[in-house]
Amino acid sequence: MRRAYISGFTGSAGTAIVTKDKAALWTDGRYFLQAEKQLNSSWKLMRAGNFGVPQASEWLTDVLAPGGRVGIDPFLFSYDAAEELKEVIYKKNLELVYLYDLNLVDEIWKESRPKPPNKPIRVHDLKYAGIDVVSKLSSLRAELVAAGSSAIVISMLDEVAWLLNLRGSDVPHSPVMYAYLIVEIDAAKLFVDDSKVTSEVMYHLKKAGVELRPYDSILSEIRRLAVEGAHLWLDTSSVNAAIVETYKAACDKYLMNRGSRGKTKNKQYFESDSLPVGPSGVYMQSPVSLAKALKNPSELEGMQNSHLRDAAALAQFWCWLEEEIHKNMKLTEVDLADKLLEFRSKQDGFLDTSFDTISGSGANGAIIHYTPEAESCSVVDPNKLFLLDSGAQYVDGTTDITRTVHFGEPTAREKECFTRVLKGHIALDEAVFPENTPGFVLDAFARSALWKIGLDYRHGTGHGVGAALNVHEGPQSISFRYGNVTPLQKGMIVSNEPGYYEDHAFGIRIENLLCVQEINTPNRYGGIEYLGFEKLTFFPIQTKLVDLSLLSIEEMEWLNNYHSQVWEKVSPLLEGSARQWLWKNTRPITKQ
C-alpha cells in the first residue's frame, strides 16, 4: 500500500526505489502492461527478467555515489532479502540502513494514511480445520525438539491463522490477521491487537495454552528469549529483518556479558555436550509452511463443497450475462465483476472474494492481473474475447477459477490459441509423476502445445492454494522458476492455469484447482509412489472456442468426461434457466 501511495502502481508484486533525483519501479511480466498505465513520467519502469534490465541492487550501485546510504524499513523485508541487498551494495561502498522507528513514506502520508484494520478475529470451526490447536502445537513442538530448538517465531500470517485455527479480515481477500506467534516448548504467545480478540477467541486460545501479548512488543520478547538462552528457530526467507537482527544483536550482547562475567544465572534452555550453551539461531524453513500445505480430509471436503457452490453461482452469472448480451445491453467490466459478486454472496458460507476480480474484454484480457476500475474500464464487446478470473472465500474453502469466452464468432487465430492453451491445461491435469518431483518439472507440460508454434506466457502455471485461507500459498508451485525445488505431495492444492496473451489484442487463460493424489500405476519403478491430480473445479469450458482439428481423440474424451462430471456434480444445485444453461454447455462434442 505504501508503494501504491508513492507510485500509483497497485500490482501485488513490485519494488519501488526513490533516490534524490530518480524513481524506479521493478515488477514482473504479469504486471508490465498495468505498470505502463499506472506509472507517471516521474517513474522509470524496470521490466524485471527482461534482457538488459538490472536488478534493483545493481541499479543502486550504478546510480549512487560511493559512500551513499540506502534506507529500508526492516519490518517490510525478509532477512534474506535484506542480506542479499546489503551484500551487493556493500561491494560498491554503499551502506544499508535499517529504519526501525520511522517509515519515510508514512512521514509524507501523515494523517491521510488509513488506520490499521481492527475487525474481530473469529474461530475457524474444527469441522473445517480438521485438527485442533493443541494437536498442531504438539506436532510443532516435536519438530522443535528434533531440530535442537527451544522456540520458533511464526510471522507468515496464514501460518499463524492455520496453526491457531483462527481467521481474520485484516488483509483484503485473505482471511488473516496481523500477528506474530512465538511457540516455545512449554508456552505460546500471540502478538496481536487485543481489540480484535473476542471472548470466544480468548477462550479458544486459553484452552490451547496460548497467551496474548501486544502486537508491538514482539522485539522485546525476542530480546527476552536471547537473554534466557533460547535456541530460536527463524525462517529467514519470511521472518523480517527487524526480528532476526534484534535476535542476533541480543545474542552477541549475551555472549559478551557471559564472557565478561564468566558465568550467568539466567535460565538455560539447553546445557549438553551436543548443543551450545546460551542463545543461538536455528535457521531453517518454517515447518508450518509444509504442514499447512498438506490438506487433511476435513480441509479437502470443505474445498470440494465450496467449489461446487461456487460453480452454481458462476452458472447463474454466466446464464444472466449471456441473456444480457443477447439483449444488446451495454455492460462494463466492473458491472460484470459486481454482478458476479452478487451471485456469489447468496451462496452459503460466502465471506469475500479471494482476490480482485479480473474482468477483461478484448485488449484488457492481455493484462495478466488486470483490475477494472469504474472510471476507466471498457464496455464488454461481444465481438471480442472476454477473460474472467475470479475466486471467493467461503467459511469452508477458497476458490480460484478462470474462464475465457467469446459471445460472437471467434477468429481462427483466437480458436487456435485457445485450443493450444486447453491442450496444455489437459496435459497438466492428466500428468502422472514420481513422488519427490518438484513443480517446475511439470511446467513444460502446460506450455508444450504453445511452444510448438513459438508461443508462450509470462507467468507460472500453478500456485499453491490455502484451505479457507490465502488464495496464494507456498511452498509448492508449478512454475518455470526452477529455484523452487519443493516436491509436490499428496494433499497439496495447486492451480492449473496456462494462458496466452497478445498485447493490446486479447488474453486467454483456463484455470482449475487440483489436489495432488496418489495414482495406482501398473508399475512402481524404484518402488516409489506415483502421483497425479484430482480436480476441485467443475465448470464448463466454452467448446465454441475449440478448434477440434487440433485435439486428439484422448483430449476430446477428457473434455467430454469433464463436462459430464460438471453436469453430474453441479446441476443438483441449480434450477430454471441456470440449469438449462449448464445442460447446454456440458453437451459432448464430436469430430464431424
Side-chain angles (χ1 to χ4, degrees), residues 150-164:
S150 52
I152 184 169
V153 179
I154 311 288
S155 66
M156 293 293 278
L157 303 189
D158 57 341
E159 292 183 19
V160 175
W162 179 84
L163 195 57
L164 298 181

Side-chain angles (χ1 to χ4, degrees), residues 6-116:
I6 58 165
S7 72
F9 173 66
T10 58
S12 69
T15 300
I17 301 184
V18 180
T19 72
K20 282 184 178 175
D21 54 4
K22 291 184 175 64
L25 183 132
W26 281 255
T27 191
D28 62 49
R30 295 170 297 169
Y31 295 108
F32 290 168
L33 294 181
Q34 181 179 334
E36 280 172 20
K37 280 186 168 185
Q38 291 182 327
L39 295 176
N40 67 26
S41 58
S42 307
W43 287 85
K44 183 174 176 59
L45 172 59
M46 309 298 265
R47 295 173 178 80
N50 277 9
F51 181 74
V53 175
Q55 292 184 351
S57 52
E58 294 168 340
W59 183 81
L60 278 168
T61 62
D62 189 45
V63 302
L64 295 182
R69 306 175 83 224
V70 178
I72 64 167
D73 182 333
F75 290 95
L76 300 182
F77 278 71
S78 72
Y79 178 76
D80 285 356
E83 281 296 293
E84 193 179 326
L85 175 60
K86 184 195 289 184
E87 205 173 294
V88 174
I89 67 173
Y90 178 76
K91 291 172 187 166
K92 290 294 177 81
N93 196 21
L94 298 172
E95 181 189 353
L96 187 65
V97 181
Y98 285 0
L99 300 171
Y100 283 93
D101 300 318
L102 86 165
N103 181 292
L104 294 182
V105 176
D106 297 350
E107 294 296 296
I108 307 160
W109 212 343
K110 294 196 163 67
E111 287 71 33
S112 58
R113 182 185 171 207
K115 294 282 179 284

Side-chain angles (χ1 to χ4, degrees), residues 204-280:
H204 170 80
L205 291 170
K206 195 172 180 182
K207 216 167 50 171
V210 180
E211 303 168 40
L212 283 184
R213 292 286 186 273
Y215 180 73
D216 56 9
S217 67
I218 182 69
L219 295 186
S220 58
E221 186 67 16
I222 295 295
R223 291 186 197 100
R224 180 193 69 79
L225 286 167
V227 166
E228 294 191 350
H231 298 163
L232 189 59
W233 187 327
L234 293 160
D235 182 344
T236 53
S237 70
S238 60
V239 173
N240 67 48
I243 286 176
V244 180
E245 279 294 337
T246 296
Y247 178 68
K248 288 190 162 196
C251 287
D252 291 346
K253 189 175 175 186
Y254 174 101
L255 294 170
M256 277 174 60
N257 288 346
R258 185 180 178 85
S260 62
R261 290 203 302 268
K263 212 167 185 182
T264 66
K265 293 180 181 174
N266 291 326
K267 163 187 170 186
Q268 295 298 314
Y269 278 94
F270 292 102
E271 294 212 16
S272 74
D273 295 338
S274 60
L275 290 165
V277 173
S280 63

